[in-house]
Amino acid sequence: MGSQRDSCLWLLVSAMLLCCVSPLKAELKNSQHDSHSNSNITGISIVSFKWEHVKAPYIVAVWVLVCFLCKLVIEANHHVTSIIPESALLICAGFILGGIIWGADHQQTFSLTPVVFFYYLLPPIIVDSGYHMPNKLFFSNLGAILVHAIIGTCWNAATLGLSLWGCQKGGAMGDLDIGLLQYLLFGSLIAAVDPVAVLAVFEQVHVNDVLFILVFGESLLNDGVTVVLFNVFDAFVTLGGAQIDAVEIIKGIISFFVVAFGGSLLGMVFGILMCFLTRCTKNIEIIEPGFIFVVGYLSYLTAEMLSLSAILSCVFCGVCCQKYINANMNENSVKTVKYVMKVLANGSETMIFVFLGISAIDKTIWVWNTGFILLTLLFIFVYRFIGVFLLTWPLNRYRLVPLEFIDQLIMGFGGLRGAVAYGLAVMMDEKKIKEKNLMVSTTLIVVFFTVIIQGILMKPVVTWLKVKRATLHDLTLIEKVQNRVFEHMLVAVEDISGQIGHNYFRDKWKNFEEKWMMWMLMKPSARKTQDHVFSVFHQLNLKDAVEYVTEGERSGSLEFIRNDSVLIDFKKKLGKTPPPPLYPGEDPVPSVSLEMHEQTMNGLREMEDLNSHHLLQEHLYKGRKQHRHRFSRNHLSINTDEDEVQEIFQRTMRKRLESFKSAKMGMALPKTISKHTKKEQQKVRTPNGKNRISVDEGMGLPLIQLIEIIRHLFSIKINLVKLGNDSGSGIENPAFMADLDPVVPLQIPPWLAEAELDSGGVAPSQRAQARPPLTAGDLRRLAPLRISTQSTDSFMMADIPDAEQRRDSFDLPPPPPPPP
Amino acid sequence: LSFLECSWRFCGRFKALWMKAALPDFKIRELTENPIGGRIIAAFFPPEKERLDFPSFVRILAHFRPIGKNRSRDRAQPEQANSRTGKLKFAFELYDQDRDGKISREELLQVLRAMLGLQVTEEQLRSIAERAIQEADLDGDGAISFDEFKKSLEKVDMEHKMNIRFLK
């Protein structure tokens, strides 16, 4: 109920906003003459209404706001959006807005002009899709994609044009003044599958990856063909029918190759430029993301300037550079690029659909010719299916995994036309093509039909035909390792059989890449951490750590919740927490994180709060490197005392490792974490008092892993350690850097500086540095915090002999409930 | 083997390679660079045999055929070489060199070391191996049995992973 009320409210507000703007604008247009003449006569005005100064940006901003408001209104109710795709609803919102404008202005003042569309609204979407393109999938299916894009589009254009011409000759469309060439022109602009529409509709349906990449890849790559066909036929129409001879046709074919390959090469050049740039931007990390956007946009515009295919250029720019850029830039920049691109792309998509709707409400462009329109719709639909089937049949002979019939059906059904066709239609010259308005209206109707009706039907059809859907599953390390093994296996078998196959090329490319490309395009530091399995491992550990913390916070009995200053740190860190952690029962595959959750939940209820606080410290240090930006927007200062920090770090790590190793040897602890045998249960229940850190093997092992990762990362990222007051990124636990003592010259990773666990101070104090922090075994020092809040107590407790502590510290916690 | 029956036309190519392989100084250069090349070659040889005959050779290669669908003949035979289980078994045996039916931590570590050894340190390899085993190990014995292996890869699309195009 509330949401409906809200949405009505918003709609009203946006309608009012719009109604205010347009009559205001109309009035001001009339009154601007008056104001000019009056301006010098009266005295100084205290406040004046400077509409003319801000007019252009103001209108743009208001429109953007209105489009976003529409999206807000639409997304308020999920029941509707699950049936009707959002794009369709946006178009309808556009209709409504168009009606409002019509009522206010009685003429079409806002419509989707080709300039705005092609130069401002389309590039973000294409850059975004290029940057986030799944490269592996794309290149393994590249053959099929190219075949469909090139041959399929030509087929669609030719058949549509010819059929319509034939029908006109046959008299089905009444009296129209359109020649064959114009029909072919029309066919070429409406034949192309549109990436915006495909993205908008397919993203809600989640079909399997191969199918998606085929349709989407086709929609992107067919721009090369569309541009060429459109320009060629446009030129032909201008020349007239008489002057077309073999030379012109050959020129047309050559121009296709030039446009397509030229566009792609240009995109690759820009992509490599981007890689070089990010390689050198170590000192200006703050505006690194800016380079990506600017260079991406430039690739689009440059291709447009050279009359090459702009979409191809953008796509290949993104495709080439994504891997190297993601490796070169630091984590924050990568995230920034990703999110800003998504915002821009989504925003553009919203605006495109809304404006498409608005553009439809215009009396001047509508010419209705039933035959033409209906026949176009019919032919588009039919020829798309025929084209897909015809092309997939020979493709399947060469594909490893043939495309099933059902997938082909969806491919045919997914041939959606969209705003690109409309943009091209509006760009036509009406002096050359007398029936331009008819074509524009037909294009609009086709677009609306495909987006709205095919969009609505897509989900039911996919469900009905039982198309294989995308499987979302968690990353597991074993899968990644196994995938790697498979790759090597395939290469080996291909070598054995003497066959030069797909995997052979992939392997060769990998070797080439490792030798040359990485050396050129990646920062030396980035090269070291390139391995895929390792990065998955890193991600998994990060995920575990985050889940651990959020789970701990939720159960609410952690020390740091009571302690304000520490809480602030965590909130800062966890400001952007990922989705809520897995409830232990839900996760079928036992994982390290699961164990941590269960331990948290059981352990916390019995253990000392600070024990868990300490554990959290240990697991959180991997979190994020944060750049604290104080007042200088450009400068992130870095620690210069690397050696000192490194030395202390290594010393303590060595000590800690020894203690872990001896603990591991000394106890026959189970290696599993999903179940505990009775033996351990009994061990646990020996009353050891509350002041234990129960770090069991399950905890210890991820600890070792995390420590090792830290050591590895530390040696690479040593220059990002925060120093004292200065801003800078931390070693992986910035939580304890937040309130650093000004006195502290060094930052010690918190698991080392256990002294600072007292309340109030999370800063490693001078004393902590003076004595090397004790190992994980010596966790008993945390005990006295209950007694007093003075930091000195912890140090005194630390003198308790190691042996006793070590024995205690590795007791198992109470067994977790077995996962269901 | 039904596979043998319908692939006689490929025998020519295999036989040529076979002849080459029979020479004492046979070495495929790329295989030596392949991190698991040694294991794959070892997989071709049945246990405790020094020589490989042609049917065995083809039998191993049969694992890499695409998974066939409407083959009524094959349904009668259990454990087709190119079924999903057959492929997984082959992959499993690459790890399990001592043929005890389980992938122990050491065995996993060896494979990881071979594949990743240059880029990742020893401790990290150990951690990765440990974590991988923890993810897959359901009965808690610290090693991955074939069933656990199969289960952990149940979401992997085998059709794309272990097929070679020429074996059609």
Side-chain angles (χ1 to χ4, degrees):
Chain A
M1 277 303 138
S3 64
Q4 284 178 9
R5 203 170 9 118
D6 288 337
S7 46
C8 290
L9 198 61
W10 281 116
L11 200 53
L12 211 58
V13 165
S14 52
M16 280 184 348
L17 200 61
L18 207 50
C19 288
C20 294
V21 170
S22 51
L24 201 59
K25 200 169 65 68
E27 273 177 32
L28 285 167
K29 259 199 238 168
N30 298 335
S31 64
Q32 86 191 41
H33 293 295
D34 303 330
S35 64
H36 273 295
S37 50
N38 291 351
S39 55
N40 294 330
I41 297 187
T42 55
I44 302 172
S45 55
I46 297 174
V47 170
S48 54
F49 192 74
K50 295 192 181 148
W51 173 249
E52 285 308 311
H53 292 172
V54 298
K55 177 168 134 183
Y58 201 88
I59 292 187
V60 169
V62 166
W63 270 115
V64 174
L65 182 65
V66 166
C67 292
F68 288 175
L69 284 176
C70 290
K71 187 159 178 151
L72 181 76
V73 167
I74 287 170
E75 289 288 348
N77 193 344
H78 272 283
H79 294 295
V80 181
T81 45
S82 58
I83 304 176
I84 308 181
E86 186 191 295
S87 42
L89 289 169
L90 282 170
I91 293 185
C92 298
F95 288 153
I96 299 175
L97 286 174
I100 296 176
I101 295 181
W102 182 256
D105 265 356
H106 294 289
Q107 66 175 29
Q108 177 62 270
T109 38
F110 299 109
S111 69
L112 191 61
T113 54
V115 169
V116 166
F117 174 66
F118 280 114
Y119 295 149
Y120 297 115
L121 291 178
L122 192 58
I125 301 181
I126 307 297
V127 172
D128 175 59
S129 30
Y131 193 76
H132 291 114
M133 176 82 76
N135 267 356
K136 215 172 190 179
L137 211 55
F138 180 65
F139 282 111
S140 24
N141 291 307
L142 191 59
I145 293 178
L146 278 175
V147 164
H148 276 111
I150 301 176
I151 304 182
T153 313
C154 290
W155 158 267
N156 279 339
T159 52
L160 184 67
L162 289 172
S163 328
L164 282 177
W165 181 66
C167 288
Q168 187 199 337
K169 287 287 178 209
M173 290 188 255
D175 202 11
L176 285 175
D177 179 17
I178 309 181
L180 171 64
L181 282 174
Q182 295 180 2
Y183 272 120
L184 285 173
L185 179 64
F186 178 67
S188 72
L189 70 88
I190 207 153
V193 181
D194 183 73
V196 181
V198 164
L199 262 182
V201 171
F202 270 78
E203 80 171 314
Q204 298 180 303
V205 183
H206 298 297
V207 295
N208 65 62
D209 293 332
V210 174
L211 184 54
F212 175 71
I213 199 74
L214 281 174
V215 181
F216 185 57
E218 181 197 339
S219 70
L220 285 176
L221 295 189
N222 69 15
D223 179 66
V225 182
T226 310
V227 163
V228 171
L229 281 180
F230 187 77
N231 287 333
V232 162
F233 284 125
D234 202 34
F236 282 176
V237 165
T238 324
L239 289 176
Q243 293 181 337
I244 300 174
D245 54 357
V247 177
E248 301 293 330
I249 295 182
I250 291 180
K251 276 208 267 182
I253 296 181
I254 293 181
S255 78
F256 162 69
F257 285 106
V258 169
V259 163
F261 287 112
S264 321
L265 278 173
L266 186 68
M268 289 193 213
V269 164
F270 272 97
I272 296 186
L273 176 68
M274 248 200 254
C275 299
F276 274 124
L277 279 175
T278 52
R279 188 176 187 212
C280 314
T281 53
K282 201 167 67 155
N283 300 324
I284 48 165
E285 272 169 1
I286 192 72
I287 58 166
E288 250 180 340
F291 278 118
I292 314 295
F293 296 110
V294 166
V295 176
Y297 192 44
L298 272 179
S299 78
Y300 186 90
L301 290 179
T302 314
E304 192 69 40
M305 174 177 79
L306 298 173
S307 77
L308 302 173
S309 164
I311 293 186
L312 279 181
S313 161
C314 256
V315 168
F316 278 98
C317 179
V319 156
C320 291
C321 70
Q322 46 167 270
K323 180 171 171 187
Y324 307 110
I325 287 185
N326 285 336
N328 275 347
M329 298 200 295
N330 73 347
E331 280 180 35
N332 286 337
S333 297
V334 171
K335 278 194 205 154
T336 309
V337 170
K338 182 172 143 189
Y339 283 114
V340 174
M341 268 203 201
K342 287 287 174 201
V343 168
L344 288 176
N346 245 301
S348 290
E349 198 184 295
T350 312
M351 291 182 64
I352 289 177
F353 284 120
V354 170
F355 272 97
L356 266 181
I358 295 179
S359 315
I361 311 292
D362 181 3
K363 215 167 199 177
T364 58
I365 61 166
W366 282 100
V367 177
W368 186 269
N369 182 322
T370 323
F372 191 82
I373 293 175
L374 286 179
L375 281 171
T376 311
L377 278 175
L378 175 70
F379 286 140
I380 280 185
F381 208 65
V382 167
Y383 284 126
R384 168 80 186 161
F385 277 105
I386 297 180
V388 166
F389 289 131
L390 272 182
L391 287 174
T392 329
W393 178 64
L395 273 179
N396 272 346
R397 319 253 305 290
Y398 294 103
R399 275 178 69 85
L400 193 57
V401 179
L403 278 178
E404 301 171 23
F405 177 69
I406 292 188
D407 284 345
Q408 293 173 34
L409 268 182
I410 299 295
M411 268 182 77
F413 197 67
L416 308 172
R417 273 69 172 176
V420 173
Y422 174 72
L424 287 174
V426 174
M427 265 183 8
M428 286 195 290
D429 190 350
E430 38 213 2
K431 299 184 214 73
K432 288 186 273 180
I433 302 168
K434 293 192 198 66
E435 298 282 351
K436 175 182 166 184
N437 284 333
L438 173 62
M439 294 192 178
V440 169
S441 2
T442 314
T443 312
L444 273 177
I445 295 203
V446 167
V447 170
F448 293 151
F449 179 81
T450 54
V451 174
I452 298 180
I453 300 193
Q454 273 183 281
I456 295 179
L457 288 179
M458 181 68 80
K459 209 168 191 180
V461 166
V462 162
T463 332
W464 177 53
L465 289 175
K466 298 199 190 47
V467 176
K468 229 172 26 162
R469 308 290 278 264
T471 47
L472 302 157
H473 60 276
D474 296 324
L475 294 167
T476 58
L477 204 53
I478 187 97
E479 262 183 44
K480 288 293 168 197
V481 170
Q482 191 54 39
N483 282 343
R484 183 68 68 83
V485 169
F486 282 144
E487 282 170 22
H488 286 304
M489 206 195 295
L490 285 177
V491 172
V493 173
E494 278 193 355
D495 286 335
I496 289 178
S497 58
Q499 180 90 355
I500 295 190
H502 197 68
N503 293 290
Y504 176 81
F505 284 122
R506 200 188 287 173
D507 198 49
K508 284 278 175 246
W509 165 253
K510 257 204 196 151
N511 290 338
F512 170 74
E513 201 189 8
E514 258 166 64
K515 258 210 223 153
W516 298 106
M517 304 280 282
M518 295 217 188
W519 172 78
M520 269 201 304
L521 298 173
M522 290 211 309
K523 280 192 216 165
S525 55
R527 255 179 268 149
K528 283 189 216 154
T529 49
Q530 254 308 290
D531 192 73
H532 192 48
V533 175
F534 180 74
S535 64
V536 170
F537 178 60
H538 178 72
Q539 277 178 47
L540 284 173
N541 280 335
L542 275 177
K543 193 176 80 153
D544 289 341
V546 170
E547 284 170 0
Y548 188 81
V549 171
T550 44
E551 187 56 42
E553 270 190 332
R554 197 200 274 175
S555 28
S557 60
L558 294 175
E559 167 67 15
F560 63 77
I561 286 184
R562 288 197 224 125
N563 185 337
D564 274 2
S565 61
V566 186
L567 175 62
I568 293 173
D569 305 332
F570 278 112
K571 273 211 172 122
K572 225 185 264 183
K573 263 165 56 77
L574 298 170
K576 307 169 194 76
T577 351
L582 303 170
Y583 191 73
E586 284 170 10
D587 188 354
V589 177
S591 65
V592 180
S593 61
L594 189 62
E595 178 62 12
M596 281 194 237
H597 289 168
E598 309 195 66
Q599 291 221 359
T600 313
M601 293 193 354
N602 294 325
L604 288 178
R605 289 176 204 125
E606 303 174 25
M607 293 185 331
E608 181 65 43
D609 295 339
L610 288 169
N611 300 342
S612 49
H613 183 205
H614 176 76
L615 286 169
L616 283 169
Q617 280 180 48
E618 291 173 323
H619 293 285
L620 283 175
Y621 62 70
K622 263 185 68 55
R624 303 110 180 79
K625 301 189 300 287
Q626 281 191 349
H627 299 278
R628 299 266 315 279
H629 309 300
R630 301 263 179 133
F631 297 103
S632 141
R633 265 201 266 164
N634 314 331
H635 188 58
L636 303 168
S637 55
I638 50 181
N639 182 14
T640 46
D641 284 336
E642 306 177 357
D643 300 334
E644 210 174 342
V645 181
Q646 171 86 311
E647 200 243 311
I648 289 188
F649 181 53
Q650 282 181 349
R651 210 180 341 133
T652 52
M653 290 322 297
R654 236 174 280 133
K655 283 190 75 175
R656 173 161 270 206
L657 266 184
E658 283 161 35
S659 80
F660 269 125
K661 279 186 188 146
S662 60
K664 233 173 29 163
M665 302 302 175
M667 304 181 78
L669 287 168
K671 307 262 191 299
T672 175
I673 47 177
S674 56
K675 274 195 221 166
H676 291 269
T677 61
K678 275 215 180 123
K679 189 180 66 165
E680 292 104 48
Q681 289 177 4
Q682 283 165 4
K683 236 203 260 180
V684 163
R685 293 214 180 99
T686 56
N688 279 319
K690 286 195 181 179
N691 303 332
R692 297 282 169 271
I693 299 286
S694 303
V695 181
D696 82 325
E697 194 65 15
M699 285 290 203
L701 284 169
L703 198 53
I704 287 190
Q705 300 162 7
L706 294 171
I707 289 172
E708 291 323 299
I709 304 302
I710 280 305
R711 185 204 286 195
H712 181 77
L713 289 173
F714 195 82
S715 58
I716 296 172
K717 292 167 182 147
I718 189 105
N719 56 349
L720 294 175
V721 172
K722 186 169 155 203
L723 173 71
N725 275 350
D726 300 345
S727 55
S729 67
I731 321 172
E732 329 306 305
N733 189 356
F736 297 91
M737 299 173 197
D739 304 321
L740 266 190
D741 236 348
V743 185
V744 176
L746 285 176
Q747 175 58 38
I748 296 184
W751 69 93
L752 303 178
E754 286 150 18
E756 75 239 274
L757 291 174
D758 359 48
S759 58
V762 269
S765 63
Q766 288 279 23
R767 265 178 289 186
Q769 299 153 35
R771 42 183 291 131
L774 299 177
T775 62
D778 303 319
L779 299 169
R780 188 195 276 251
R781 73 169 64 198
L782 301 174
L785 279 160
R786 273 273 208 88
I787 306 170
S788 89
T789 52
Q790 289 180 11
S791 48
T792 48
D793 285 343
S794 56
F795 292 97
M796 295 202 279
M797 289 298 285
D799 293 331
I800 293 169
D802 280 5
E804 192 188 356
Q805 286 195 336
R806 208 174 293 141
R807 181 175 42 92
D808 294 336
S809 67
F810 287 96
D811 280 340
L812 293 168
Chain B
L1 270 182
S2 60
F3 169 64
L4 279 179
E5 285 163 17
C6 38
S7 69
W8 285 122
R9 52 196 157 117
F10 288 106
C11 271
R13 191 184 299 151
F14 289 168
K15 273 236 151 71
L17 185 65
W18 184 251
M19 292 307 145
K20 219 169 40 155
L23 298 172
D25 58 345
F26 176 63
K27 226 187 280 212
I28 303 180
R29 184 176 49 85
E30 289 86 3
L31 266 189
T32 55
E33 292 170 355
N34 193 317
I36 56 174
R39 288 170 184 256
I40 293 191
I41 293 193
F44 274 83
F45 286 81
E48 279 137 60
K49 271 217 195 142
E50 281 295 314
R51 301 175 59 80
L52 179 64
D53 55 352
F54 187 64
S56 312
F57 181 69
V58 176
R59 209 170 288 137
I60 300 293
L61 278 182
H63 284 292
F64 289 89
R65 263 175 86 216
I67 299 176
K69 271 192 249 193
N70 307 319
R71 301 176 154 262
S72 51
R73 263 192 300 169
D74 297 348
R75 230 178 276 145
Q77 305 175 2
E79 293 295 332
Q80 265 304 80
N82 67 332
S83 69
R84 192 190 163 88
T85 311
K87 292 181 198 272
L88 284 172
K89 191 94 185 128
F90 184 76
F92 188 77
E93 271 160 20
L94 281 183
Y95 286 100
D96 188 19
Q97 294 288 302
D98 56 3
R99 314 271 167 166
D100 63 352
K102 286 182 182 299
I103 302 177
S104 70
R105 187 175 295 124
E106 269 314 306
E107 288 168 341
L108 185 59
L109 200 53
Q110 280 167 17
V111 175
L112 276 176
R113 200 177 290 133
M115 290 198 300
L116 304 175
L118 297 174
Q119 296 138 340
V120 181
T121 67
E122 182 65 28
E123 292 93 357
Q124 285 161 351
L125 279 178
R126 218 174 295 233
S127 319
I128 293 178
E130 184 60 46
R131 197 197 168 109
I133 289 191
Q134 280 170 354
E135 280 174 355
D137 194 12
L138 299 170
D139 59 4
D141 57 356
I144 306 180
S145 70
F146 181 58
D147 289 321
E148 289 164 354
F149 185 70
K150 211 164 50 157
K151 185 162 198 318
S152 70
L153 293 182
E154 65 187 354
K155 294 207 181 113
V156 171
D157 184 10
M158 295 297 296
E159 294 173 329
H160 283 106
K161 300 285 177 190
M162 254 186 87
N163 291 329
I164 306 273
R165 213 169 294 187
F166 59 83
L167 289 173
K168 270 256 176 84

